[in-house]
Amino acid sequence: MAMLQVNDIHSYYGNIHALKGISLTVDKGEIVTLIGANGAGKTTTLKTISGLLHPRHGTITLEGERIDGLRPHEIVMRGVVQAPEGRKIFGALTVLENLEMGAYARTDPAAIARDLDFVFHLFPRLAERRNQLGGTLSGGEQQMLAIGRALMAHPRVLMLDEPSMGLAPVLVETIFETIKKLNQEGTTILLIEQNAAKALQVAHRGYVIETGQIVLTDSAANLRKSERVRKAYLGEE
C-alpha cells in the first residue's frame, strides 16, 4: 500500500480546469519528484493534497485512508505537511517561535523537544540564530527555517515546494544534501522543484506534469536519460 496516493484528481480555480486527472503515488521511504514548467500544475497539486484546494473529482489517501475533503489542519495532524513555495515564515517571530508554530497541533512535549534538537542538529545556523527574528534571516536561512518548521509537525509525508528557488548555488547544494539526509533518516518526501537536474539526482522516481496532466513517469535514473526530459527540463540538446 502506498503511503500517499493521488487518484484521478481534477481541481479548478473558478472555471479554470487546473488539474485534469492527476494520479501519483509516494511509497514509504521514497523521494518522489514532480517536475514541470511554471504554470504546469505542480503547486496546485500540493495545494490539493494539503486541502487548500478541494478537488471536484478523484481521491487522495494516506496509507489507505481518504484525506480529500478534510480541512488543512486535519491533514497536517494526520502527517501530510508542506514547506510552501516562497518559505512563508513568520517574519515577526523568532526562529524558535517559528519552529514552535510547526508543532502547534502536537501534545507530546518530550517528542517535540527531541524534534527541536533534531532540527537544530540538521541546521546548526538555526540553533545559532534561535532568538533572531525570522524576517532578518538570509534567503537560505529562511528556507532552512521553512523546512525545519514543517519537520516540527513530525510529518509522515513531507512536501517541499521549490526549496531551491532564489538561492545561491552553494546553498542549493546544502538544501539538496539536507533532503537526502532527511530521506536517509526515514522521511518520505514529495518534492516539487524547477531545478529538474537536482531533483532527479536525489529522487527515486519522478513524474512530469504539463498543463495539468501527468505526461511521463519513471525512475529518476530513466527520466534523466529521457530525450524528452533532457530537452525540455535539463537544458540539453
Side-chain angles (χ1 to χ4, degrees):
M1 180 188 299
M3 173 68 80
L4 179 70
Q5 182 158 7
V6 176
N7 183 46
D8 195 24
I9 286 295
H10 292 256
S11 294
Y12 291 74
Y13 292 109
N15 292 322
I16 299 172
H17 195 176
L19 299 183
K20 306 166 186 175
I22 293 289
S23 295
L24 61 85
T25 61
V26 184
D27 291 330
K28 186 174 182 178
E30 277 193 311
I31 300 176
V32 172
T33 189
L34 180 63
I35 61 176
N38 279 337
K42 302 188 302 295
T43 295
T44 301
T45 300
L46 290 199
K47 285 184 175 180
T48 303
I49 295 170
S50 295
L52 298 169
L53 192 64
H54 293 297
R56 295 190 190 177
H57 180 81
T59 61
I60 304 169
T61 59
L62 180 68
E63 291 192 306
E65 294 185 6
R66 285 186 65 171
I67 59 172
D68 54 283
L70 297 180
R71 290 176 292 179
H73 74 276
E74 294 172 324
I75 292 173
V76 169
M77 290 174 70
R78 280 163 174 76
V80 180
V81 183
Q82 181 175 348
E85 180 182 2
R87 295 131 203 177
K88 295 183 173 60
I89 63 163
F90 300 104
L93 299 183
T94 67
V95 166
L96 180 59
E97 288 168 338
N98 267 274
L99 294 173
E100 289 172 341
M101 286 296 291
Y104 80 98
R106 298 175 61 183
T107 58
D108 48 349
I112 291 171
R114 286 195 298 272
D115 285 343
L116 184 61
D117 287 342
F118 173 73
V119 170
F120 282 151
H121 177 73
L122 190 67
F123 298 118
R125 279 195 243 182
L126 297 185
E128 296 167 4
R129 292 160 173 74
R130 69 177 68 202
N131 295 317
Q132 187 172 325
L133 294 181
T136 67
L137 299 177
S138 70
E141 290 164 349
Q142 289 189 12
Q143 186 61 65
M144 294 173 193
L145 183 55
I147 295 173
R149 183 181 58 188
L151 291 172
M152 288 302 295
H154 203 71
R156 294 158 73 187
V157 179
L158 175 63
M159 302 195 299
L160 301 175
D161 193 353
E162 303 286 7
S164 76
M165 180 180 287
L167 299 185
V170 65
L171 290 175
V172 171
E173 292 294 331
T174 298
I175 291 299
F176 277 96
E177 283 300 317
T178 300
I179 291 169
K180 286 197 293 185
K181 184 173 181 180
L182 283 171
N183 182 247
Q184 289 165 0
E185 295 277 351
T187 303
T188 301
I189 297 172
L190 176 57
L191 172 64
I192 305 298
E193 179 56 60
Q194 263 203 298
N195 188 335
K198 298 298 294 184
L200 290 172
Q201 283 175 14
V202 300
H204 299 99
R205 293 188 299 111
Y207 294 84
V208 179
I209 184 171
E210 294 178 359
T211 60
Q213 296 177 299
I214 299 296
V215 297
L216 192 61
T217 180
D218 209 329
S219 69
N222 285 341
L223 288 176
R224 288 197 301 269
K225 298 173 187 175
S226 163
E227 182 177 358
R228 180 176 185 175
V229 171
R230 294 205 320 270
K231 286 183 176 180
Y233 303 108
L234 303 183
E236 300 177 13
E237 294 297 333

